[in-house]
Amino acid sequence: MFVKPFRIKSQTQLKGSDRKKLRAELSQAYPSLTSEDLSKLIPGKEDVTLVRMYCYKGESVNVYQVQKDPIFFTIDKDKVVYPTVYLLWRHPELMHTFTTHTHVIGVLAGGADLMLPGIITKGEMSPYSYGKFEKGFPVAINTTDNKAPQAVGVTAHSSMDMYMCGRHGKGVSILHVYRDQLWEMGSRSPPPTMGPPDIILSGQVVIENEDSAEEIIVGSETDESEKLKEISPEQVTDDVEKLILLEEPTPDSSSNLSPENSTPKEDTPQTTGPEAMDKLLLHCFLKAWKTSGKKVALPILTSNFYRLHMIPACPDGASLDIKKSSYKKLSKFLNAMAKEELIQVKEFPKGIENITAINWAHEDIKSFIVDQEETSIKPEANKKDNSRTFTPPLIEEVHQVSGDTLHFFKANGLSKGDVLSMAEVRSIVTDYIKVKGLQKEGQKMVNLDTLLHEAVVNRKEGYKETLRWDEIFSRMLGRMAPAVRITRQGSVPVIRKGKLELIELAVAKRSGNKKVTLVYNASLYGIDEAEFAHQIQVGVAASTSVGPAEHKPQGTTQVLIQGNQVAFIGKLLLETYQIPRKYIRGLELAPKNKK
């Protein structure tokens, strides 16, 4: 489901009441989670975001993200709560789990489903070898060398039907797998090493080498092995025997998929105990002020400082987790920094903590030296994002062949609906007059033949024998249908009939007399509204959403932002997206006290 990139529809910060509702839904779906577990998964003060998205096959999915990591997701059509691998690494026993071979995870990450021969079972086959469940039962998948789940899916059959299939056919339809786009949405941490699963430790399944593992997956279909070697990976069918034979891991791919090799551990800070996590927190705190925090505008929400500055400052291979420190809460850590006179923290309005000042003269900040190599990966990623500049579309006012001008342009090799710029219309008319000899030398007037007369003279005007050059051009353009040609880089030009609608900025009031900013028609100018909303969300630290527009023509979408953010949005459109000012309406709505 998340093998290919998805399209984000909206991102919304959840309120306290919504978080309580989420905890109740999780508790009902997974009763093994205690109230303490639920409080840690859905914290009260940290950022919890609901991300609505469309997957590449059109599925509508809701993803719940805590800090940076997606924790669980729901699919609109079934409303079942599915945990992500990030959540399962914290609670590996949360779901019924199947075990497969390590290199099969790489095949699943390529979009394949898990077949029955790839599921390792205990002892001789029986009706309960796979467990006891119905079709569509949510399950997790781990590997023979690590019981940390690395994929989530639903069973393709009931447990009894799986037994009756005789280890043939599909076993699990994969929804989410380690290294897919949903995993990349988070911190991209590798699976923790938890040791072999119980089914391997029990001794009832023994795998001595890759060949014996392959025999377990392939089963008894060895007589077709020679035929399968001739098939290319693109021709792989759903038959698991063919899939496994064709997807034998190379030394490079094995090393990439291995949890031990995915991240070098020798050079990364050890963050296993509270004391080590405390040191990492302080390291990231100081580094944040010496890097991205240099130009931060104060006051800033403490949660935003942690999310936007401290987490990106974390060294490669390390994972910042306030819960694993001795402070347990971000507020306690920042209050400790305030006691050390590094910063000032104030609470305004009530219950909302902000960093109001930074002591640049403090010895700890002055003496801290940034190691550029410890975050060698992240600056490159940021550089890539910053370099992805928006190329504004080329917008041209054109004229469409239609109505009374049709016969004239047909005689010149054009068809109904063809669009022409003003210069192209002038060139065609000029060439036609010269070829037909409709103007005599030394005369400003042009004789009208039948086609030209029909194109430029209204029937109510009667017959006209001659017209001036400028009259012919203005009349021809006036009788053609106006249109706009929008050309985006790498795309086929789009023709829109009539005048192009402007990007409209509006300020409205919602319940509680709260102001919101609405942006309409941004997509007409090639702007990705989901990405546009995210840039505003980060820039002004306000909740945003994308959805159908109210009281507008059907199909119109709107970007909604909390508060009056016209000044920031106008600057973003004019400077970043390079949209000419004449195509934006509503810039005057910006608050007068803001620049």
Side-chain angles (χ1 to χ4, degrees):
M1 178 176 288
F2 301 101
V3 173
K4 296 182 180 180
F6 43 75
R7 179 170 63 88
I8 294 179
K9 179 183 177 183
S10 65
Q11 294 178 303
T12 309
Q13 296 286 340
L14 297 187
K15 298 183 294 185
S17 58
D18 295 325
R19 300 184 190 209
K20 289 182 181 179
K21 185 178 178 181
L22 273 181
R23 294 189 193 105
E25 290 180 2
L26 272 178
S27 178
Q28 185 177 1
Y30 300 100
S32 61
L33 291 174
T34 64
S35 57
E36 184 179 354
D37 294 333
L38 293 170
S39 298
K40 290 180 179 179
L41 291 175
I42 313 294
K45 291 190 176 181
E46 296 179 13
D47 291 341
V48 180
T49 306
L50 168 60
V51 183
R52 293 184 173 90
M53 62 176 65
Y54 293 110
C55 294
Y56 73 101
K57 288 187 177 179
E59 306 99 325
S60 179
V61 180
N62 295 333
V63 177
Y64 294 88
Q65 196 174 17
V66 178
Q67 293 290 48
K68 189 176 181 181
D69 291 336
I71 298 299
F72 60 93
F73 62 94
T74 61
I75 305 172
D76 279 357
K77 64 181 180 180
D78 57 19
K79 299 297 182 182
V80 178
V81 178
Y82 299 101
T84 66
V85 291
Y86 291 108
L87 173 53
L88 291 175
W89 292 341
R90 296 163 66 175
H91 299 277
E93 308 296 335
L94 190 63
M95 303 178 74
H96 182 79
T97 305
F98 289 141
T99 299
T100 188
H101 301 279
T102 304
H103 66 272
V104 174
I105 298 299
V107 180
L108 302 183
D113 291 320
L114 181 62
M115 302 300 173
L116 287 172
I119 300 175
I120 298 173
T121 57
K122 290 183 179 180
E124 296 182 1
M125 289 297 297
S126 72
Y128 301 106
S129 293
Y130 297 103
K132 190 176 181 181
F133 47 77
E134 296 298 321
K135 180 181 178 181
F137 185 68
V139 294
I141 298 164
N142 60 22
T143 61
T144 53
D145 59 359
N146 191 358
K147 68 178 181 181
Q150 297 186 39
V152 175
V154 294
T155 56
H157 308 281
S158 66
S159 54
M160 181 58 70
D161 288 341
M162 283 186 177
Y163 169 70
M164 298 301 293
C165 286
R167 299 186 68 81
H168 289 280
K170 186 187 295 186
V172 179
S173 298
I174 301 299
L175 300 177
H176 162 52
V177 62
Y178 167 56
R179 290 185 180 273
D180 66 3
Q181 297 292 320
L182 184 59
W183 171 82
E184 289 191 0
M185 184 180 176
S187 58
R188 304 185 183 182
S189 57
T193 303
M194 298 183 178
D198 295 339
I199 191 173
I200 301 300
L201 295 175
S202 66
Q204 293 176 292
V205 175
V206 179
I207 303 173
E208 297 179 356
N209 52 45
E210 191 68 24
D211 294 336
S212 61
E214 189 169 310
E215 288 176 8
I216 292 177
I217 299 178
V218 173
S220 60
E221 300 294 327
T222 56
D223 55 327
E224 295 187 3
S225 59
E226 293 300 322
K227 184 193 302 183
L228 296 177
K229 291 179 181 178
E230 300 174 359
I231 303 177
S232 64
E234 291 77 14
Q235 297 170 315
V236 177
T237 66
D238 286 340
D239 192 324
V240 70
E241 291 83 359
K242 298 179 183 179
L243 180 63
I244 296 300
L245 285 173
L246 290 168
E247 296 290 343
E248 287 184 1
T250 61
D252 292 339
S253 63
S254 298
S255 62
N256 291 336
L257 290 172
S258 173
E260 292 80 7
N261 297 329
S262 58
T263 313
K265 293 188 177 180
E266 295 179 359
D267 298 328
T268 56
Q270 297 296 322
T271 58
T272 53
E275 184 178 350
M277 185 58 70
D278 290 351
K279 291 181 179 179
L280 183 62
L281 274 171
L282 179 59
H283 176 88
C284 296
F285 174 81
L286 295 173
K287 183 178 177 181
W289 289 115
K290 296 297 285 282
T291 53
S292 61
K294 280 184 177 180
K295 298 181 180 180
V296 69
L298 298 177
I300 183 174
L301 291 172
T302 55
S303 58
N304 282 351
F305 177 75
Y306 180 77
R307 176 172 60 90
L308 300 176
H309 301 284
M310 286 183 64
I311 290 179
C314 189
D316 296 345
S319 180
L320 201 59
D321 190 347
I322 194 76
K323 298 294 184 183
K324 294 181 180 179
S325 69
S326 61
Y327 301 100
K328 302 300 180 185
K329 292 183 179 180
L330 178 62
S331 58
K332 289 185 178 180
F333 169 74
L334 293 178
N335 286 332
M337 297 298 100
K339 288 182 180 179
E340 296 291 332
E341 298 184 349
L342 284 159
I343 56 173
Q344 290 182 12
V345 179
K346 292 184 179 180
E347 189 175 305
F348 66 88
K350 187 177 180 181
I352 307 297
E353 291 186 337
N354 294 264
I355 299 175
T356 57
I358 169 69
N359 183 7
W360 295 107
H362 196 283
E363 189 61 32
D364 288 352
I365 294 179
K366 290 170 61 179
S367 61
F368 184 84
I369 300 175
V370 177
D371 183 359
Q372 298 292 347
E373 295 184 358
E374 72 176 10
T375 52
S376 58
I377 296 176
K378 292 172 186 175
E380 291 177 3
N382 294 336
K383 183 177 179 182
K384 180 180 178 182
D385 290 339
N386 294 334
S387 64
R388 186 180 58 186
T389 55
F390 176 79
T391 303
L394 176 63
I395 303 172
E396 302 173 274
E397 294 182 359
V398 293
H399 303 270
Q400 204 164 25
V401 175
S402 63
D404 294 325
T405 64
L406 179 59
H407 292 103
F408 173 79
F409 284 107
K410 268 191 174 182
N412 288 276
L414 298 171
S415 304
K416 183 178 181 180
D418 289 347
V419 293
L420 301 168
S421 65
M422 186 182 297
E424 290 170 332
V425 173
R426 180 180 292 272
S427 175
I428 291 172
V429 173
T430 302
D431 291 344
Y432 180 84
I433 292 173
K434 288 182 178 180
V435 170
K436 296 292 185 179
L438 300 179
Q439 185 188 32
K440 294 181 180 180
E441 292 184 13
Q443 292 185 355
K444 294 183 179 180
M445 304 299 287
V446 176
N447 296 319
L448 303 180
D449 66 359
T450 305
L451 286 176
L452 197 55
H453 190 280
E454 179 186 1
V456 299
V457 179
N458 194 314
R459 292 190 182 97
K460 293 182 180 180
E461 295 181 272
Y463 177 75
K464 287 185 178 291
E465 186 176 352
T466 60
L467 284 174
R468 296 194 311 271
W469 275 97
D470 57 343
E471 281 188 293
I472 291 174
F473 291 133
S474 61
R475 284 169 175 258
M476 185 71 75
L477 293 174
R479 305 193 79 188
M480 298 176 72
V484 177
R485 179 164 54 199
I486 305 173
T487 307
R488 302 186 181 98
Q489 188 176 27
S491 302
V492 178
V494 176
I495 306 299
R496 299 186 66 88
K497 295 181 180 180
K499 291 186 177 181
L500 182 63
E501 297 179 61
L502 305 180
I503 295 179
E504 183 180 351
L505 308 181
V507 178
K509 289 186 178 180
R510 292 292 188 262
S511 58
N513 204 30
K514 293 181 179 179
K515 290 184 178 180
V516 296
T517 305
L518 302 169
V519 184
Y520 304 105
N521 305 323
S523 61
L524 299 181
Y525 295 79
I527 297 174
D528 185 330
E529 291 175 317
E531 183 178 351
F532 181 62
H534 178 68
Q535 289 175 317
I536 299 172
Q537 181 185 28
V538 173
V540 300
S543 177
T544 62
S545 65
V546 180
E550 298 178 357
H551 313 299
K552 293 286 182 180
Q554 188 174 4
T556 305
T557 57
Q558 68 179 20
V559 180
L560 184 148
I561 309 97
Q562 286 186 348
N564 186 337
Q565 311 297 347
V566 172
F568 178 85
I569 296 170
K571 185 176 180 181
L572 187 66
L573 290 170
L574 292 169
E575 297 180 5
T576 303
Y577 287 93
Q578 301 175 36
I579 303 297
R581 186 178 291 270
K582 67 178 182 178
Y583 292 116
I584 306 173
R585 179 194 300 147
L587 293 174
E588 70 280 0
L589 298 175
K592 301 302 180 184
N593 59 341
K594 290 186 179 180
K595 295 184 180 179

